[in-house]
Amino acid sequence: MDMIMEKWDLIFGVLLAVISLGLIVKATYERKTGFRCKGTIVGFSKGEKGALFPVVQFTYGGETYSMSTMNGSKKPKKGVGTETEVIYCPKNQKYVIEVGNYSDVWICLACAGMGIVLLAFYFLG
């Protein structure tokens, strides 16, 4: 048990860096392989801690969909009735990605950076 406690920064740093880099690859893949669709914000869904996620209505393959976007905020920049462009991945029926919103990628990069810093502390410290 003491050995694990001594190496927590190594273990946690590796896990944080690997998971974050995996999520960046997933986000990049979805953005490159998804279908771009024009849509209209028809409302907001409320998430944890008061974040509002725009619900976008769009048409893909002759079908009309209404889905929340992946990234939300407490003060949305766009309101109901605003046109926006989304990336729709048919395999992912949970959310769409709003074009131009990279906050998920930035969060993953920050987490990967923290993991790398922990690894540096382990190897240099």
Side-chain angles (χ1 to χ4, degrees):
M1 187 67 159
D2 288 333
M3 188 170 112
I4 291 175
M5 292 305 286
E6 291 174 10
K7 297 187 178 190
W8 76 269
D9 47 352
L10 173 65
I11 295 166
F12 188 67
V14 168
L15 286 174
L16 191 59
V18 169
I19 291 170
S20 298
L21 292 173
L23 290 172
I24 291 169
V25 169
K26 178 185 179 285
T28 303
Y29 177 78
E30 286 180 339
R31 282 174 168 79
K32 288 188 183 248
T33 61
F35 300 96
R36 290 180 178 245
C37 306
K38 296 281 185 190
T40 303
I41 297 174
V42 294
F44 293 91
S45 62
K46 195 168 188 175
E48 294 179 21
K49 300 180 184 176
L52 298 173
F53 295 81
V55 176
V56 179
Q57 188 173 53
F58 61 96
T59 303
Y60 170 76
E63 299 276 333
T64 300
Y65 297 89
S66 291
M67 296 174 76
S68 291
T69 60
M70 172 193 247
N71 299 317
S73 66
K74 290 192 178 190
K75 295 182 182 179
K77 296 176 183 172
K78 300 175 182 177
V80 173
T82 305
E83 285 191 15
T84 190
E85 188 175 13
V86 295
I87 299 171
Y88 172 63
C89 299
K91 291 180 181 178
N92 182 356
Q93 296 295 315
K94 294 179 185 176
Y95 57 81
V96 291
I97 302 166
E98 193 168 9
V99 172
N101 189 333
Y102 293 97
S103 59
D104 57 320
V105 175
W106 287 113
I107 290 169
C108 288
L109 282 172
C111 289
M114 287 188 292
I116 291 168
V117 166
L118 287 172
L119 290 173
F121 281 141
Y122 175 79
F123 288 111
L124 298 175

